[in-house]
Amino acid sequence: MRTGTGSPAAARRGAFVAVAVALFCIQLDFFALNLALPGIAAELDVTLSAAQWTLSAYMLAIGCFFIIGGRTGDVFGRRGTLLAGIALFTAGSVGCALAPGLGLLVAARIVQGVGAAFVFPVSVSVITNTFPEQTRARALGAVFGVANIGTALGPFVGGGFTEGPGWRWIFWLMVPLGLLSLGTAVRYVPDSRDPSAPRELDLPGCALIVCALALLTLAVERGDAWGRGSARTLGCLAAAAVSCGLFLLRERLARHPLIDLRLFRNLPYVLVTAMGSLSNMAYAVTVLLATLTLQGVRGLSPLSAGTVFLAPALMVAVSGPLGARLGRHLQPTAVMALAGAVAGTGMYALTEATAWWLYVPVFAWCGLGLGLGYTYAGVATQQVVAPARAGEAAGVLLTFLVTLGAIALAAAAAAVSAMTPQRPPEEAYDAVLRLGGTVLLATALAVTAATAVRRRRTAPGRRTGRHPVRHS
């Protein structure tokens, strides 16, 4: 591994700053823009549905390129891939700030999304390969903690800029922060790659996975506008299924596949990915339903609702360092099961909490569990795979998180729409939250049981310890 400028300690500090600032920007940007959509629609003289493409296009890009970004870092070098991702995200931010119309704004958002898709998985693998094993989990937890501060501040930044100087300042804010991250990465981030991998990328595999994820995400994101049973939606879903099948066939036959399918024989990785994906799905749904409840049912203004969101947002920020601390004493799967139990009870209790003195702490408890689930998944996957393929593992995890999160949002919206003609909206919201809480609790029990069975099976032959056998 080629080190950056200065001592190893300086390289670790610089890598931490570069990665943390980059992830902070990405989280802040996304969660701020949600509240800016009405302002964008008004200034650009388009409908709110059209302005929604600024989010949909970003989700398309980031979901399609996670796996490619992670594997590109493993094969060609993580430092260069990180620099390219930060540069793309920053350039896209400038494009968004200057865009005179919706078309160019959407195009710039795609550039941002591709950059973010390279930054996220490579950031995780940079920390994994820069920090020694003794402090790796703590560093990853702290990085996600900083990133989650961006999640917490996003609604306030988006609302404040939209009502004040304008939504374009959300993107202008990203530019100096992006340049700070880029300059720090150039100076300090060490380079590393998978030494067993030749410097070539499975281009047919890249094309097939992009097609599959793009078509699936497009069907999910635009299904409401097109109609769930329309020929366009069903055609996208069918084409996505065919592309996914061809991708799996390609990966089985390729000499140097984009994804080593043996990754899915790694039970701890599968369990962590499943629990993390469910937590992220539940987080997306809970945020949506809580927003509808606070503003539509309880009658709060956007600013007051944002104030209520501070409690769970702060708990999400705390969940990164907390997960790293728990990981020193518990197996990764045990931490994930605990997160599922906390989140599941929180989602269920949220439906029973009517008084403000109870609603806010229950919402915070829910945020802690959900944040721990999807945040610690990024740490846990790095503990159960070989560092050489850290980017691949992170890319696969993030793809599941983003794609399934979008599907969960669409499913929740469809469920609420189906129930509201027969019952009040608050009852529909509560029904979806209870279902989500029950699924999380059941999955947490299943992960605990699977971990216990695996431990009993492997105990007579070898001592597994905290870190299970890693695939290579």
Side-chain angles (χ1 to χ4, degrees), residues 215-233:
L215 289 165
L216 175 61
T217 307
L218 192 62
V220 170
E221 289 282 330
R222 307 308 297 173
D224 275 337
W226 293 345
R228 296 294 172 187
S230 68
R232 199 167 2 174
T233 302

Side-chain angles (χ1 to χ4, degrees), residues 343-355:
T345 55
M347 289 181 72
Y348 206 96
L350 205 57
T351 66
E352 304 294 334
T354 55

Side-chain angles (χ1 to χ4, degrees), residues 1 15 19 23 66 69-75 77-79 81-82 117-131 136 140 143-144 189-194 378-379 381-382 385-395 398:
M1 181 176 75
V19 165
L23 295 184
F66 267 142
R71 192 57 186 152
T72 299
D74 287 345
V75 171
R78 298 174 181 111
R79 181 176 184 272
T81 306
L82 178 65
F118 276 66
V119 168
F120 248 108
V122 175
S123 292
V124 173
S125 56
V126 162
I127 296 297
T128 297
N129 286 273
T130 302
F131 283 78
R136 186 178 300 153
L140 283 169
V143 162
F144 285 121
V189 169
D191 200 10
S192 63
R193 59 181 292 268
D194 181 356
V379 180
T381 53
Q382 302 301 292
V385 300
R389 301 187 73 98
E392 173 193 7
L398 290 166

Side-chain angles (χ1 to χ4, degrees), residues 134-143 318-330 335 372 375-376 379 383 466:
Q134 296 85 346
T135 59
R136 186 178 300 153
R138 191 186 315 157
L140 283 169
V143 162
V318 167
S319 67
L322 176 62
R325 184 175 294 274
L326 290 173
R328 293 184 225 161
H329 309 288
L330 299 172
V335 178
L372 182 61
T375 296
Y376 189 71
V379 180
Q383 293 179 297
R466 243 184 59 202

Side-chain angles (χ1 to χ4, degrees), residues 277-299:
S277 298
L278 281 173
S279 297
N280 194 56
M281 293 166 72
Y283 180 77
V285 170
T286 302
V287 168
L288 170 67
L289 297 181
T291 301
L292 295 174
T293 298
L294 292 173
Q295 296 187 45
V297 177
R298 294 182 178 253

Side-chain angles (χ1 to χ4, degrees), residues 41-59:
E43 181 177 329
L44 300 182
D45 194 23
V46 297
T47 65
L48 192 60
S49 176
Q52 180 72 26
W53 272 106
T54 59
L55 295 180
S56 298
Y58 181 85
M59 295 301 292

